[in-house]
Amino acid sequence: ERYARYKTARTKAEEERKLRQEKFQEEARRAEEAQRKAETEMKRLEQARAGAKAAKRKEDMERKKARLEEAERQKREVEEERLAAEATRLEQQRRERERILEEQRKKQEGEARRLAE
């Protein structure tokens, strides 16, 4: 009878040990699975962050390009206005010289007529 109790207690202890070991192994498996899921999520977040950074860099470059193009356009407009003003000034000088030459020519013709009389 003592042997039977000993054998029963030993069997029960082995079963409990096996259950504890199975429970431990199950918890370890769940922990590994949770770790893998966390790592996968971290990789996904890193990729999303990298994609967002790339998109922001692209957007920044596009804004910079647009600013440079606008600055070039304004520079061209200012240069065109300056050239138009210069052309107008030169045209006015040419007309003034023509007017002066015309007056001198008329004066000389008038003197020539007076001398001829």
Side-chain angles (χ1 to χ4, degrees):
E1 190 177 310
R2 275 174 66 190
Y3 181 75
R5 278 189 298 210
Y6 163 76
K7 192 74 166 164
T8 304
R10 187 171 166 187
T11 304
K12 188 176 180 183
E14 283 182 19
E15 287 175 0
E16 287 176 2
R17 185 184 57 78
K18 279 185 182 178
L19 286 174
R20 279 195 305 272
Q21 189 174 1
E22 287 174 3
K23 188 176 179 181
F24 176 77
Q25 287 174 344
E26 180 64 21
E27 287 176 6
R29 188 188 62 74
R30 285 186 189 148
E32 286 177 8
E33 188 175 315
Q35 178 70 25
R36 274 195 307 278
K37 283 183 180 179
E39 288 173 357
T40 302
E41 182 64 12
M42 286 297 291
K43 286 179 184 176
R44 188 189 67 75
L45 290 173
E46 286 174 9
Q47 288 175 344
R49 192 176 8 233
K53 281 184 180 179
K56 185 178 183 326
R57 273 195 308 273
K58 183 179 179 183
E59 190 176 295
D60 290 346
M61 289 299 287
E62 288 173 355
R63 274 199 298 271
K64 184 177 180 181
K65 182 180 175 185
R67 281 196 310 271
L68 289 173
E69 287 173 351
E70 179 62 19
E72 281 295 319
R73 186 189 63 76
Q74 289 177 353
K75 186 177 169 183
R76 276 193 309 276
E77 285 179 3
V78 167
E79 183 64 13
E80 288 171 2
E81 290 173 7
R82 187 190 67 76
L83 290 174
E86 179 71 12
T88 301
R89 185 183 64 78
L90 291 173
E91 180 63 22
Q92 287 174 342
Q93 285 180 350
R94 184 187 65 77
R95 286 184 187 151
E96 183 63 20
R97 281 195 304 273
E98 285 179 358
R99 186 187 60 77
I100 290 171
L101 288 174
E102 184 63 25
E103 287 177 4
Q104 287 176 349
R105 187 184 61 75
K106 285 181 180 178
K107 205 185 268 183
Q108 286 174 352
E109 284 178 1
E111 277 186 45
R113 251 188 268 133
R114 210 179 50 233
L115 289 175
E117 291 173 359

